[in-house]
Amino acid sequence: MMFNRRKFLRNASALGVASGFAANIGSFNAFAADTSDYKALVCVFLFGAMDGHDTVIPYDVQSHSQYEGIRGRLISDLDNSSEGFAPRRRDNLLELAGNGGNIGGRNFAFPEEFRPLHELYTQGNLAVIGNVGPIVEPITRTTFENGSARRPPRLFSHNDQQSIWQASQPEGARAGWGGRFADIVEAAGANSNSTFTSVSAVGPRIFLQGENVQPFQISASGAQSVDILDASDHLGSSIFPSHYRDALRNVNGDTSNLFGDDFASVNRAALDANELLTAQFALPGDPTTVMPTSSLGSQLGVIARVIARNANLGVKRQVFFVGTGGFDTHAGQPTTLPGLQADVANSMRAFHDSMVELGLSDKVTSFTGSDFGRTLTRSGTGTDHGWGNHHFVMGGAVNGGQILGNIPPPEFNHDYDAGQGRLIPQLAVDQYAASLGQWFGLSNSELLDALPGLGNFDQTALSSLFS
Amino acid sequence: MSSLYLTACGGSGAKTILSSPLPDAPIPTSTNIVGKVTAGYAQCNINAADLSGAPIGAEVRSNQQGDFNLDVGTHTGALLITASSCTYVDPVTNVTFVDAMFRSFVMAEDYSSTETTSDIAVQITPFTELAVRHAELVAGSEALTNTSLTQANTVFAPVFNRMGFDYRGTTPILPTDTDALTAAQDARDYGLALAALSGAGGVEGLTQDISLQGATLTEDELFGFVFNDLKDGAAIFEITEQNISGESSVELVLSSLSGNGETANTLAPIASVDNFVINVETALAPNRPIVWETLFSDSDSPDGALEYVILGEICGQSVGAMSELVLTCDVPGSYSFFVAAVDPDGNVTVIPATANINLPLTDTKASAFLMSSTFGPTLETIENLEGQGYSEWFKTQYNLPVNSILDGMGLPFADTSTSKWETVPRERWYERALLGDDQLRQRAAFALSQIFVISTSPRDLTFKSHLQAKYMDTMQNHAFGNYRDLMQDVTYSPLMGVWLTYIGNQKADATTGGVPDENYAREIMQLFTIGLVELNPDGTPKLDANGQEIEVYTNNDITELAKVFTGLWWANTPFGVGLGRPAVPDIDVLPMEMTESEHSPFSKSFLGQTVPAGLPGDQSISMALDILFEHPNLAPFVCKQLIQRMTTSNPSPAYVKRVVEAFETGAYTLPDGEISGTGTRGDLAPVWAAILLDNEALDLDRREDETFGKVREPIVRFLHWARYANVSSVEVTNDAPVRNGATTASLGQTPYRSSSVFNFFRPGFVAGGTKTASAGLVAPEMQITHTATAITHANFMATYVFRSSNQNWGGNYADALAVSGDTEAVIDQLDLVLTAGRMSDATRQRVSEVYESVTAPSDGIRLATQLIVMSPEYTTQH
């Protein structure tokens, strides 16, 4: 299906049917991804849905006042935080300068916990993308409520919206857009060894699954090894280590069952990749930047170590996936969210610094994703499931220091309110992904291929995100 | 065209019984009962009446052939048709009687969508008369009802439909007639069938005295050729051995032990027939036919010649009169039928009989069954199962008492000390899962815990040990109980209240703008009860006109339901807000309590129903849970996932539907014919039997279907090894890998400790890029079986497999050491117990070589075991 469609698009462009595609010069490679230099995309997924309302916070006096009024104790509980979190009062916020008041004349700020990322914003290495989420076609409150605009299925459901965000389909999807990007660069011959084309540090996630490229699940602790395998014997049996290795690889084994085959394949892939990685990690080359010891910090740390070996691993294009959870703050948001935000900011910042250290900061672009946004309304001491959310793109190649897209005012019943301040996205994830893919080197036709819904949107909406 | 309802269908004619009325059919302007009184009868007065006895339509008279046509107008519902004042010619004696009366009943409500007139075909025969009498017995002193008619239909209709001859054109022959053995087969069959049906009546109480209750014919005149014999001479067979599970060749012995005390007149006691045997034999290849070979010998009769008929359905196949019956049966089940027999002396006996057919329980089959139904087979449990058979095994398991984890905590409730207490209930859980005899309850509760997912992992709760122990008990207590009760206890569990943040959830506050937390409302619908999209009873999604799935609810439903779950707070404690636990003793083990002033007073409308405004909080919750419980999605949503936890990741829709039926009816017939379950919807006990005994799960031919089966859960893989190795010491708190999983040696799964309410894996998970994915299959457990966990899992297993018997979690491998001198015996044992006979040649060779590569059997068995537990044969089940 995928390949038929790709073929069709190629043919269509060759015939000049589809306007806007590159002119046909009679060769497939002319349309293939540009993979001449090293580039990596790193998706930082915030599981559970980080409250964007409380991350890109209304800052002009009137908006902030409205915001305080609606959020009530979610703000006041932080005034004397026993956890040591900074208050969300206006004086304590970090203004996001430079958006020129083009968002309804309103201004925005980061909370204190985002200071490490605020510095990157100020330096021009981090941009804010307002109100992004999965949509099928442009949609407003009117067309949402009267049903005239198509909408994604299973809105507000964690697992399904994670899947839709990553793969345009609810749970059970077969491939994600990160994986499709990897398929394309792989097909273009970017990597001499495909083992590490796509790497997840947080288990299998549909984002990285491709039609062809198999993502490698790396352990945040680094390369792993099976005990005993490298011993000369075990319990006095000299044949055991080699037999054990054969057993793990199921050599000559016939399972006659697809589940058995899949299990054996996983074991084989794990052994092969980890042995390669073990050898590489034994060599010098790790960045010295100290990473936070949190789960996210550890994940980004091991990714940095892999990136540092890109030449030895035979890769010029890589897609990574890391993530951390706890953002589903139905209750206790004032006592939990700031800590999570601090972890995100510290971990992402340290990762950026390590890329700077490696001289790769303009070759590596990181971006956030999340199940959805949250309600503007407070429920108890927390917030509920929403839809659109604000996201962050980080890296030396990013035209930072700006807010792209839109951020609706902190009030209800505006054109992009699905109820209780659940934002109706004004930018599709497809558009967000397309701008990243374009930077990654994908052609327009390849982007349409990897992002089937992209054709319904303006593909240039985020064209100023990268130079 | 209307279908027949309990009307005999001899020779030709429609076979349908009890087909459902079409929903939008117009009521016909006219319905005709087009009938025939059976052979031997001529003109009768034909009347129709409803069940209250009120006449419907005008009386008609049947013609010389017994045909009639009676207009019942627009009546709908059951009709009793009476043929009276008949002329009856006894088929045996040729004596003519008048004033015979026979009855039949029909349902006048089954119309096609296009007809405005409708004919209902009906036969009136001795058969239908028997059925009506049976219905009268069921009804007792009450008037006939649809229920009593339906029950009669259930008993009699299958027999009617399996008569292999045209009884309307046949004259039955007295079985004791000297010419009986040389008469036409149809005539003999008819006579025997009448005998059998009378016996069927007898089962329900028509024993030997089938009086005509006011009819003008005497019993002898009507059925004399049968009932004389039945009354006066027939013995009653007793089934002396009917459990035919567990053997490859079994006999169902029906021996005639007791007569009715009067063996007078011309009939020799049939007690002389002492070897009525139905042999059920099984050949194992290729399709394992079960061959029924009926033998009927009479020690008093030199030639042993006997005539008999079996009426009923066995294994989906019609059974008729025969001198030898051979049929192939590979469908386990309990089959009821009747046997009527006459020996050469003319003695007639009719008995009801039940045959219970299981595919034979071989060693490997028992092992495979225990892989699904327990935390792993052992030699002992395999042997026990073979001795018991499935039915007894289930009954034994159902009756084992709950071994409370809370009671086993051994800690003072008020103890607030160190965090290690969280591991104590886990240790108790491991003890029960590993060592408990109540293996089905343990496995069932574990499956339920993966629907009602809880975790203490991300919440810093003091006292969580007792919260957790109480919650584990909740799963255990209801594992064989009702799903509705489970929903109730979970909803009031303070651990769930904290986990899904609705403890302290308040009604909306207009001044602050606060609204109720939607968390529990959303997840109880999406994950615990009905799911996101409308389902068919077979678990497949319903589709709209555009082929799209239909979402069950919108966020508005959630916002409304969220109002229901307001006002709950820790017991014995003034209402507070937030997740912290008040310092009040014992509240962990008590259900949350309602504070009315914090409960939303508004109406709550969701799923098209409304919990009225002002209803007290507990009643609101109860009503809301009822609405969810009654939803048609519940059974398929829950049952499919329970199947996935136990037998296969991708059950066929038909399999799901069969399990759903057990859930909906609260009943499942065990192989021995006993019914498991209370008959109440939502009863879980029969659901486990339906899952585990379904032919789709039991049939080992499934192994040849590469799409069947599942990856076993890491915890099951671990405990199965521990049960085989005879581990007895299960300390958890100070044993890092098993406590939580260490980084380099981890199972990737800890009981009651999923990282989110979405469980360790999702039922719809597709393992991208794999063979199962290419085949369109889901593989839930593959979500935690990937390149990062493969290595840690191998190391985890090695950590424990190689421990010595005197270490914590060390095994002594007693079963293997008992045969340690014989490598083949050791390997065969490992193959049977650990891989249910599925060990590949390559694995067997490796295992054999490492076993023999060391001198100490206790080392060899550990080396061999480690290879096996990392093999696909062990880690998957199919």
Side-chain angles (χ1 to χ4, degrees):
Chain A
M1 184 72 186
M2 166 94 183
F3 294 105
N4 289 339
R5 177 184 155 75
R6 182 178 294 171
K7 193 170 181 182
F8 167 78
L9 286 170
R10 281 185 201 119
N11 290 343
S13 73
L15 293 167
V17 170
S19 61
F21 290 170
N24 172 37
I25 54 170
S27 136
F28 162 56
N29 283 335
F31 297 98
D34 169 13
T35 59
S36 52
D37 53 349
Y38 178 79
K39 280 183 179 174
L41 283 171
V42 182
C43 179
V44 179
F45 208 85
L46 309 175
F47 291 99
M50 183 164 80
D51 182 15
H53 294 300
D54 202 39
T55 309
V56 184
I57 301 172
Y59 186 69
D60 57 276
V61 173
Q62 183 194 340
S63 299
H64 190 266
S65 167
Q66 283 176 289
Y67 183 67
E68 280 186 327
I70 291 167
R71 284 300 179 97
R73 62 178 298 186
L74 298 189
I75 307 283
S76 60
D77 279 4
L78 278 169
D79 290 349
N80 297 295
S81 164
S82 59
E83 286 80 8
F85 299 136
R88 292 287 204 250
R89 300 298 178 190
R90 192 166 179 280
D91 292 349
N92 300 92
L93 298 177
L94 308 171
E95 182 180 5
L96 294 168
N99 64 319
N102 59 353
I103 299 177
R106 289 173 285 118
N107 290 311
F108 301 88
F110 280 162
E112 171 62 27
E113 287 73 23
F114 252 42
R115 182 173 291 278
L117 294 183
H118 185 261
E119 289 169 10
L120 290 185
Y121 178 92
T122 307
Q123 293 166 16
N125 289 318
L126 182 123
V128 177
I129 318 294
N131 199 12
V132 186
I135 45 177
V136 179
E137 58 192 0
I139 181 170
T140 64
R141 182 163 69 103
T142 305
T143 57
F144 171 71
E145 288 178 352
N146 69 18
S148 63
R150 287 173 293 166
R151 64 175 80 170
R154 310 186 185 187
L155 285 172
F156 316 117
S157 151
H158 282 295
N159 54 325
D160 292 298
Q161 292 308 305
Q162 286 170 12
S163 180
I164 287 172
W165 205 100
Q166 298 172 23
S168 312
Q169 285 175 39
E171 185 175 284
R174 299 273 298 277
W177 52 270
R180 293 200 167 101
F181 285 9
D183 280 340
I184 291 166
V185 295
E186 184 78 13
N191 300 342
S192 59
N193 182 333
S194 67
T195 306
F196 298 102
T197 298
S198 61
V199 179
S200 167
V202 65
R205 302 291 174 177
I206 191 62
F207 176 77
L208 282 187
Q209 185 59 52
E211 300 279 350
N212 298 315
V213 174
Q214 280 304 306
F216 174 66
Q217 324 300 336
I218 199 169
S219 165
S221 60
Q224 298 175 294
S225 59
V226 176
D227 300 340
I228 306 168
L229 281 190
D230 296 325
S232 60
D233 73 278
H234 192 62
L235 297 182
S237 170
S238 58
I239 65 170
F240 182 76
S242 63
H243 276 50
Y244 187 22
R245 183 183 302 275
D246 287 351
L248 288 169
R249 300 181 62 88
N250 199 31
V251 173
N252 298 326
D254 173 21
T255 72
S256 302
N257 182 272
L258 299 180
F259 294 91
D261 288 350
D262 285 356
F263 179 83
S265 295
V266 164
N267 274 351
R268 279 193 289 273
L271 281 178
D272 291 346
N274 276 293
E275 285 175 3
L276 186 56
L277 207 55
T278 300
Q280 284 301 315
F281 281 178
L283 303 172
D286 285 340
T288 59
T289 304
V290 177
M291 297 298 295
T293 56
S294 67
S295 169
L296 183 59
S298 304
Q299 292 175 40
L300 285 167
V302 80
I303 298 302
R305 296 178 70 199
V306 171
I307 289 174
R309 271 81 176 187
N310 70 78
N312 285 351
L313 292 173
V315 286
K316 283 189 169 177
R317 283 291 183 280
Q318 290 184 286
V319 188
F320 296 97
F321 191 85
V322 298
T324 185
F327 292 99
D328 193 22
T329 47
H330 287 275
Q333 180 165 316
T335 56
T336 53
L337 182 59
L340 296 169
Q341 289 168 327
D343 180 35
V344 169
N346 291 331
S347 298
M348 289 183 70
R349 174 61 186 270
F351 179 70
H352 179 80
D353 290 349
S354 68
M355 292 302 104
V356 171
E357 179 192 339
L358 293 173
L360 291 172
S361 66
D362 59 344
K363 302 296 186 188
V364 179
T365 296
S366 306
F367 60 96
T368 56
S370 197
D371 317 16
F372 33 69
R374 305 195 72 81
T375 56
L376 182 60
T377 313
R378 170 184 69 83
S379 55
T381 55
T383 52
D384 244 299
H385 298 189
W387 187 357
N389 204 351
H390 315 315
H391 286 290
F392 313 98
V393 184
M394 175 184 81
V398 174
N399 281 330
Q402 59 174 341
I403 300 175
L404 296 173
N406 193 26
I407 298 179
E411 55 195 40
F412 302 104
N413 300 323
H414 53 72
D415 284 350
Y416 297 95
D417 179 16
Q420 299 182 342
R422 303 171 213 266
L423 297 181
I424 297 171
Q426 291 164 274
L427 277 172
V429 171
D430 292 319
Q431 291 168 290
Y432 184 59
S435 69
L436 297 165
Q438 194 169 35
W439 171 79
F440 202 48
L442 271 56
S443 69
N444 284 343
S445 63
E446 286 166 340
L447 287 173
L448 282 165
D449 210 0
L451 303 162
L454 182 61
N456 292 334
F457 302 101
D458 171 13
Q459 293 165 48
T460 63
L462 294 175
S463 57
S464 64
L465 180 56
F466 294 95
S467 304
Chain B
M1 175 66 198
S2 296
S3 53
L4 300 179
Y5 183 82
L6 215 166
T7 51
C9 315
S12 62
K15 294 278 187 182
T16 314
I17 320 170
L18 266 184
S19 60
S20 302
L22 294 163
D24 299 320
I27 302 297
T29 55
S30 159
T31 298
N32 291 315
I33 306 292
V34 179
K36 184 179 182 69
V37 187
T38 195
Y41 303 80
Q43 294 108 318
C44 307
N45 292 336
I46 310 293
N47 290 282
D50 66 18
L51 293 185
S52 72
I56 305 292
E59 179 180 282
V60 297
R61 186 149 178 92
S62 56
N63 65 17
Q64 288 288 344
Q65 287 71 46
D67 296 324
F68 64 88
N69 189 326
L70 194 159
D71 185 348
V72 294
T74 59
H75 176 81
T76 59
L79 282 173
L80 195 64
I81 313 295
T82 303
S84 59
S85 302
C86 303
T87 301
Y88 168 60
V89 181
D90 185 291
V92 179
T93 63
N94 238 6
V95 174
T96 300
F97 298 91
V98 292
D99 286 348
M101 184 185 92
F102 305 105
R103 295 169 295 172
S104 182
F105 54 82
V106 296
M107 293 295 283
E109 65 177 20
D110 192 1
Y111 307 111
S112 77
S113 58
T114 56
E115 292 169 325
T116 54
T117 61
S118 176
D119 290 347
I120 298 178
V122 62
Q123 315 291 337
I124 304 180
T125 73
F127 288 176
T128 62
E129 172 63 22
L130 272 173
V132 173
R133 293 181 189 197
H134 180 88
E136 287 173 337
L137 271 171
V138 171
S141 60
E142 306 296 315
L144 285 177
T145 64
N146 281 346
T147 304
S148 51
L149 294 183
T150 300
Q151 179 157 347
N153 193 54
T154 304
V155 172
F156 286 81
V159 182
F160 289 164
N161 271 343
R162 284 169 182 79
M163 299 295 290
F165 57 90
D166 179 5
Y167 59 88
R168 283 172 295 174
T170 298
T171 302
I173 188 164
L174 179 66
T176 53
D177 192 299
T178 50
D179 295 330
L181 293 179
T182 56
Q185 187 69 46
D186 282 1
R188 287 149 54 199
D189 290 347
Y190 194 177
L192 286 162
L194 285 171
L197 287 165
S198 301
V203 173
E204 300 296 331
L206 285 173
T207 323
Q208 299 172 10
D209 181 14
I210 185 160
S211 76
L212 284 178
Q213 297 176 355
T216 52
L217 278 182
T218 66
E219 172 184 328
D220 283 358
E221 287 166 335
L222 180 58
F223 290 123
F225 57 93
V226 171
F227 293 116
N228 272 340
D229 302 326
L230 285 172
K231 280 182 68 174
D232 296 330
I236 299 169
F237 283 126
E238 284 188 354
I239 300 174
T240 56
E241 181 183 338
Q242 65 174 4
N243 179 8
I244 58 174
S245 59
E247 303 288 343
S248 58
S249 175
V250 293
E251 293 180 346
L252 175 62
V253 180
L254 312 173
S255 61
S256 52
L257 295 179
S258 59
N260 64 356
E262 293 181 8
T263 55
N265 71 33
T266 62
L267 302 171
I270 206 158
S272 62
V273 178
D274 56 10
N275 280 309
F276 188 97
V277 175
I278 296 177
N279 255 339
V280 183
E281 291 184 350
T282 296
L284 287 175
N287 297 314
R288 297 192 321 284
I290 285 184
V291 179
W292 287 71
E293 184 183 4
T294 55
L295 307 169
F296 198 6
S297 62
D298 179 351
S299 57
D300 293 339
S301 173
D303 60 3
L306 286 166
E307 283 284 313
Y308 54 91
V309 62
I310 296 175
L311 294 167
E313 183 183 24
I314 298 175
C315 204
Q317 297 171 64
S318 302
V319 180
M322 70 219 77
S323 56
E324 181 178 71
L325 166 65
V326 177
L327 61 83
T328 299
C329 177
D330 59 0
V331 181
S334 179
Y335 300 101
S336 296
F337 53 95
F338 306 105
V339 179
V342 55
D343 71 10
D345 299 329
N347 303 319
V348 175
T349 295
V350 179
I351 58 163
T354 303
N356 308 296
I357 300 174
N358 275 327
L359 297 183
L361 255 175
T362 58
D363 285 352
T364 52
K365 191 164 179 118
S367 181
F369 173 83
L370 293 166
M371 273 197 191
S372 298
S373 58
T374 72
F375 278 106
T378 63
L379 279 185
E380 184 186 354
T381 57
I382 289 170
E383 190 179 323
N384 287 346
L385 173 59
E386 289 176 8
Q388 287 184 305
Y390 293 125
S391 300
E392 280 306 309
W393 186 86
F394 273 98
K395 284 182 267 188
T396 304
Q397 289 290 319
Y398 290 149
N399 289 326
L400 289 173
V402 174
N403 187 359
S404 164
I405 287 174
L406 188 62
D407 292 349
M409 286 290 287
L411 295 170
F413 278 17
D415 195 328
T416 60
S417 54
T418 72
S419 63
K420 82 168 189 178
W421 299 130
E422 197 223 335
T423 64
V424 176
R426 194 170 308 143
E427 187 171 299
R428 297 288 90 77
W429 182 87
Y430 271 118
E431 271 174 9
R432 283 152 182 75
L434 179 66
L435 304 171
D437 290 332
D438 58 342
Q439 282 287 302
L440 179 62
R441 184 187 298 277
Q442 293 301 319
R443 188 70 192 265
F446 187 51
L448 290 169
S449 81
Q450 296 189 60
I451 291 180
F452 293 99
V453 176
I454 203 76
S455 176
T456 54
S457 61
R459 305 278 178 195
D460 179 24
L461 279 170
T462 52
F463 286 86
K464 54 189 160 190
S465 60
H466 290 86
L467 281 170
Q468 190 178 352
K470 176 68 178 175
Y471 194 83
M472 289 172 171
D473 276 355
T474 299
M475 296 296 124
Q476 287 202 87
N477 291 340
H478 296 298
F480 303 151
N482 194 285
Y483 201 82
R484 173 65 179 80
D485 297 332
L486 186 53
M487 290 166 62
Q488 183 82 15
D489 281 4
V490 166
T491 298
Y492 280 84
S493 159
L495 184 56
M496 186 59 83
V498 173
W499 171 237
L500 291 183
T501 63
Y502 62 101
I503 196 167
N505 193 16
Q506 294 169 287
K507 64 185 178 184
D509 184 334
T511 54
T512 67
V515 297
D517 186 333
E518 297 176 356
N519 206 7
Y520 189 64
R522 185 185 312 277
E523 308 307 4
I524 191 177
M525 286 208 284
Q526 182 181 342
L527 300 175
F528 301 167
T529 55
I530 62 176
L532 288 165
V533 298
E534 291 186 18
L535 300 175
N536 294 307
D538 65 6
T540 58
K542 290 183 181 174
L543 302 178
D544 65 16
N546 299 319
Q548 300 296 307
E549 296 180 352
I550 304 162
E551 297 190 4
V552 182
Y553 51 82
T554 68
N555 205 70
N556 193 48
D557 293 291
I558 292 170
T559 302
E560 288 288 304
L561 181 58
K563 293 189 281 186
V564 170
F565 301 111
T566 50
L568 287 175
W569 185 246
W570 300 91
N572 302 331
T573 312
F575 192 89
V577 176
L579 302 177
R581 179 197 181 282
V584 177
D586 297 351
I587 59 176
D588 309 294
V589 299
L590 297 173
M592 291 189 287
E593 288 179 358
M594 178 59 63
T595 298
E596 291 299 338
S597 60
E598 300 292 346
H599 182 75
S600 172
F602 303 111
S603 67
K604 297 101 176 168
S605 296
F606 63 100
L607 299 176
Q609 303 197 56
T610 299
V611 175
L615 201 61
D618 288 332
Q619 290 180 42
S620 294
I621 289 175
S622 185
M623 186 173 172
L625 295 183
D626 284 344
I627 290 169
L628 295 176
F629 179 72
E630 296 297 337
H631 195 281
N633 264 29
L634 180 80
F637 179 77
V638 170
C639 291
K640 184 173 181 184
Q641 290 185 67
L642 295 179
I643 294 171
Q644 287 183 308
R645 293 285 63 72
M646 300 188 119
T647 59
T648 183
S649 294
N650 298 273
S652 72
Y655 182 9
V656 175
K657 192 173 181 181
R658 289 189 289 271
V659 176
V660 162
E661 189 178 326
F663 187 100
E664 295 285 2
T665 61
Y668 180 81
T669 305
L670 294 171
D672 70 359
E674 279 199 40
I675 294 183
S676 141
T678 61
T680 303
R681 181 175 179 276
D683 190 356
L684 287 168
V687 170
W688 309 117
I691 290 171
L692 294 163
L693 292 176
D694 193 277
N695 198 44
E696 188 163 326
L698 283 187
D699 185 353
L700 293 195
D701 284 349
R702 278 285 169 188
R703 291 179 179 185
E704 290 161 25
D705 178 352
E706 62 179 12
T707 66
F708 187 78
K710 68 195 290 276
V711 175
R712 301 168 76 201
E713 294 177 44
I715 288 173
V716 176
R717 292 181 227 157
F718 173 53
L719 287 173
H720 182 185
W721 159 78
R723 284 170 59 77
Y724 170 68
N726 208 20
V727 167
S728 57
S729 167
V730 296
E731 202 273 334
V732 167
T733 303
N734 299 304
D735 201 323
V738 75
R739 184 176 61 231
N740 285 332
T743 310
T744 55
S746 167
L747 271 182
Q749 188 186 26
T750 303
Y752 290 85
R753 209 169 196 272
S754 163
S755 64
S756 86
V757 72
F758 291 92
N759 198 25
F760 310 102
F761 36 71
R762 301 289 305 137
F765 181 78
V766 174
T770 61
K771 289 186 177 180
T772 51
S774 299
L777 304 174
V778 301
E781 291 82 358
M782 287 295 281
Q783 195 172 338
I784 54 171
T785 306
H786 49 74
T787 51
T789 60
I791 308 284
T792 61
H793 183 252
N795 291 340
F796 182 96
M797 293 304 293
T799 298
Y800 292 100
V801 164
F802 288 110
R803 283 194 183 170
S804 62
S805 58
N806 58 4
Q807 286 179 287
N808 186 42
W809 282 98
N812 67 16
Y813 298 90
D815 286 338
L817 294 181
V819 293
S820 62
D822 180 348
T823 301
E824 280 302 300
V826 170
I827 310 304
D828 285 347
Q829 182 187 97
L830 290 167
D831 184 19
L832 170 64
V833 181
L834 295 181
T835 62
R838 288 180 287 115
M839 194 186 291
S840 71
D841 292 344
T843 300
R844 176 174 278 268
Q845 185 178 344
R846 279 190 285 267
V847 167
S848 178
E849 287 172 10
V850 300
Y851 180 74
E852 293 188 331
S853 70
V854 291
T855 51
S858 61
D859 289 341
I861 186 61
R862 286 173 170 80
L863 294 168
T865 301
Q866 178 65 18
L867 294 192
I868 294 171
V869 298
M870 290 310 297
S871 70
E873 298 97 295
Y874 180 80
T875 50
T876 62
Q877 153 190 320
H878 55 89

